[in-house]
Amino acid sequence: TQPNVEKGVDGGLLPDANGKEPSPGGQREDRGKWQKPRITRKSLMKCCLVKWIIDSTTNTQGPESSDCELELSTVRHQPEGLEQLQVQTQFTKKELQSLYRGFKNECPSGLVDEETFKNIYSQFFPQGDATTYAHFLFNAFDMDRNGSIRFEDFVIGLSVLLRGSETEKLRWAFNLYDINKDGYITKEEMLAIMTSIYDMMGRYTSPSVRDVDPSEHVDKFFQKMDRNRDGVVTIDEFIETCQKDENIMASMQLFENVI
């Protein structure tokens, strides 16, 4: 089926982490069996990475939640303890257990490589070419630039994208656009990211992003962001402009819909 990405989709991709245990979160049945978190289809359709993780557990009966800590020693890369990750993210421990189980099912080594990212996005956007966008997104998650993504890096990034503040999300978006990680965004970098998104799913957004050519789209944004006209956009310029311009913030929804 074709992706149905719409503006204004519910922002919650996992149940809210606000102190009380959310009803959609992972729960135990009376017999002690683990129930896969019931995340709504509407929410899943907005986050490919979460859908990939949860789908991997569909036909797998997970172990007892008390066994999750023991599982951490069975992979080549041992992530931080779930309790520490709970402090570092806005996920509950049960959500982290579910995410870890799906992550380990798909990546038994405990690491995600770039080829895996390309496979994820080719699965969800088969009508387009997802290769370039998956490459850029992988580099944004791969903070230490070693060619692989650890589970803790993965969930810390997801926590920012799904539950972070507006400023935190914009900082993460800046990191995505800053392809060479030199602390600045050039017009060429912004165009490369936008073109890769258009190539992957432009025909299936509503309204269609093909209504405006990527270069025209970037020209308008870059002119607003490059306030001192020095040919590059700093993180301060990026955040300030995005927060003050409703049109730019609305267009950032396109970015949010392809995570």
Side-chain angles (χ1 to χ4, degrees), residues 22 34 37 47 55 79 99 108 127 132 137 146 159 164 205 217 219 231 241 246:
W34 174 264
C47 186
D55 279 355
L99 289 170
Q127 298 86 356
T132 304
L137 187 62
N146 68 353
S159 178
T205 56
H217 189 91
D219 283 343
T241 306
E246 293 182 358

Side-chain angles (χ1 to χ4, degrees), residues 7-8 46 164-171 173 177 217 221 224-225 237-257:
K7 289 187 176 181
K46 194 184 176 186
S165 66
E166 181 181 272
T167 300
E168 289 172 334
K169 290 179 180 180
L170 289 174
R171 286 184 179 278
Y177 283 111
H217 189 91
F221 280 12
K224 293 180 179 180
M225 291 181 178
E237 287 176 321
F238 181 81
I239 292 175
E240 183 179 356
T241 306
C242 288
Q243 289 178 332
K244 290 183 176 180
D245 193 300
E246 293 182 358
N247 291 328
I248 293 180
M249 287 302 293
S251 294
M252 290 297 287
Q253 289 183 335
L254 171 63
F255 159 71
E256 293 180 354
N257 285 334

Side-chain angles (χ1 to χ4, degrees), residues 112-205:
V112 173
D113 58 21
E114 184 171 338
E115 194 61 30
T116 298
F117 255 66
K118 292 178 180 178
N119 290 337
I120 294 170
Y121 281 88
S122 63
Q123 171 187 347
F124 290 110
F125 299 95
Q127 298 86 356
D129 182 1
T131 303
T132 304
Y133 177 74
H135 168 73
F136 292 142
L137 187 62
F138 178 85
N139 284 343
F141 274 95
D142 182 18
M143 296 301 294
D144 54 8
R145 314 288 285 175
N146 68 353
S148 61
I149 301 169
R150 305 173 302 164
F151 174 70
E152 53 263 55
D153 293 333
F154 185 76
V155 294
I156 288 172
L158 279 182
S159 178
V160 171
L161 292 167
L162 308 188
R163 292 183 178 158
S165 66
E166 181 181 272
T167 300
E168 289 172 334
K169 290 179 180 180
L170 289 174
R171 286 184 179 278
W172 205 96
F174 181 90
N175 177 58
L176 173 68
Y177 283 111
D178 180 15
I179 295 174
N180 65 2
K181 311 306 178 193
D182 65 352
Y184 302 94
I185 299 175
T186 65
K187 185 181 292 187
E188 290 74 21
E189 286 176 320
M190 186 174 289
L191 180 60
I193 296 293
M194 292 305 301
T195 300
S196 71
I197 295 176
Y198 282 32
D199 288 344
M200 181 174 67
M201 43 82 79
R203 290 176 55 195
Y204 303 105
T205 56

Side-chain angles (χ1 to χ4, degrees), residues 38-152:
R38 294 183 293 277
I39 302 175
T40 66
R41 181 178 181 275
K42 187 176 182 181
S43 295
L44 286 174
M45 289 301 290
K46 194 184 176 186
C47 186
C48 298
L49 296 178
V50 172
K51 191 174 191 303
W52 165 67
I53 286 284
I54 300 302
D55 279 355
S56 72
T57 67
T58 299
N59 298 316
T60 302
Q61 177 61 52
E64 299 294 331
S65 61
S66 60
D67 292 338
C68 281
E69 297 288 352
L70 296 176
E71 287 183 344
L72 301 186
S73 62
T74 67
V75 296
R76 179 158 55 87
H77 170 73
Q78 182 173 335
E80 303 288 346
L82 294 182
E83 290 185 0
Q84 183 173 342
L85 284 176
Q86 188 178 351
V87 173
Q88 292 177 289
T89 69
Q90 297 189 53
F91 294 132
T92 67
K93 189 171 183 178
K94 289 182 178 180
E95 289 170 341
L96 288 168
Q97 288 168 343
S98 179
L99 289 170
Y100 177 71
R101 182 173 298 108
F103 186 93
K104 192 174 75 71
N105 285 342
E106 292 293 327
C107 307
S109 69
L111 300 168
V112 173
D113 58 21
E114 184 171 338
E115 194 61 30
T116 298
F117 255 66
K118 292 178 180 178
N119 290 337
I120 294 170
Y121 281 88
S122 63
Q123 171 187 347
F124 290 110
F125 299 95
Q127 298 86 356
D129 182 1
T131 303
T132 304
Y133 177 74
H135 168 73
F136 292 142
L137 187 62
F138 178 85
N139 284 343
F141 274 95
D142 182 18
M143 296 301 294
D144 54 8
R145 314 288 285 175
N146 68 353
S148 61
I149 301 169
R150 305 173 302 164
F151 174 70
E152 53 263 55

